[in-house]
Amino acid sequence: MALSKLLGALCAATVLSSAAYAEGYPDRQITMVVPFSAGGPTDTVARLVAERMSADLGQQIIVENVGGAGGTLGAGQVADAEADGYTILLHHIGMATSATLYRNLAYDPLGFEYVGLVTEVPMVVVARKDLEPTDFASFIEYVKANKDTVTMANAGIGAASHLCGMLFQSAIDTQFVTVPYKGTGPAMTDLLGGQVDFMCDQTTNTTQQIQGGTIKAYAATTPERLSIFPDLPTVAEGGLAQMEVAIWHGIYAPKGTPAEATERLSAALQMALADEGVIKAMADLGTAPSPAADATPAALKAKLESEIARWKPIIEAAGVYAD
Ligand code: ASP
């Protein structure tokens, strides 16, 4: 066969197989890796959208928690997974910050395919219920005065709770003791038990405890007060505007995953984010779905690129790194 004919035949086969792939996808269960512990804020968001996406896809998305190393273990696992559309990753802002925080990351944070943005979640500075300070101003003074003994929980370098803590340390120019967990799910258990003093965590993990009075809240990291906690001051009201941060989440797939799969997943994500039940569940947890236009591969790619550039100088100024 002449070379041109052979190439033509190969091209036709590729077109055919990708069309067949698109039609048949997904024909089995999909694994969504969450790079933090079960029961934590990322897990909560993942399970909410995975359930609704499963209904649209006609195949189950099961959530697998791969916690550790601030989310980089789970992300690395997905980077190495088969690029067939059956393994995906739901990660947050840590995808961008870990690009600078880690000197020897085993994967390239920009080396994934993109599905879309999911939600942006505010954070709240919370403490064990019996921690002395009664407001944010006295809390700041307390942390400064007790920096060698007070303990802040986080989910490891690269986690949102770590980022917020790093911003807090810079803003008050005080280094205090931090205690890493595989996720803020288990960190919350220790906060409730009084084994750690405070943390900064997403409303998807703190709202019910604050409402139930089992932990104390000092400030929200949003520019405006949260509608679910109108009495809670913002960090800027406490003089620490540098701590403002919102934890955006996205869904990724291994490099080389066919566009037919990422586009199908993006369509399912848009359906999920428009679902009344999902909107209500998110609202109850102090957040909201990303707009449909952002639940797309292009929007997530642009967001990740801009966020890597945004956080790089801030992390470099703080001088925090992991190997
Ligand atoms: N999102 C993490 C978790 O689900 C916590 C964090 O990033 O701080 O545990």
Side-chain angles (χ1 to χ4, degrees), residues 150-240:
V150 75
T151 51
M152 180 188 201
N154 69 36
I157 297 181
S161 45
H162 171 267
L163 177 65
C164 185
M166 188 191 87
L167 298 174
F168 184 41
Q169 290 194 331
S170 301
I172 64 169
D173 198 18
T174 303
Q175 301 292 313
F176 43 77
V177 183
T178 56
V179 185
Y181 292 80
K182 285 188 176 175
T184 51
M188 178 60 80
T189 306
D190 273 9
L191 193 71
L192 290 166
Q195 282 89 12
V196 280
D197 295 320
F198 76 101
M199 70 174 167
C200 181
D201 197 17
Q202 296 159 70
T203 55
T204 35
N205 199 40
T206 56
T207 300
Q208 281 160 3
Q209 280 80 2
I210 298 168
Q211 284 165 344
T214 51
I215 57 173
K216 223 173 216 178
Y218 289 121
T221 65
T222 37
E224 307 292 329
R225 288 191 178 203
L226 295 171
S227 56
I228 46 167
F229 297 121
D231 297 334
L232 188 66
T234 64
V235 285
E237 286 175 61
L240 304 184

Side-chain angles (χ1 to χ4, degrees), residues 237-270:
E237 286 175 61
L240 304 184
Q242 309 96 301
M243 279 182 78
E244 278 179 9
V245 63
I247 308 307
W248 55 272
H249 295 62
I251 298 178
Y252 305 82
K255 190 81 192 161
T257 301
E260 289 81 0
T262 51
E263 275 156 22
R264 180 68 191 91
L265 290 165
S266 168
L269 176 62
Q270 290 174 28

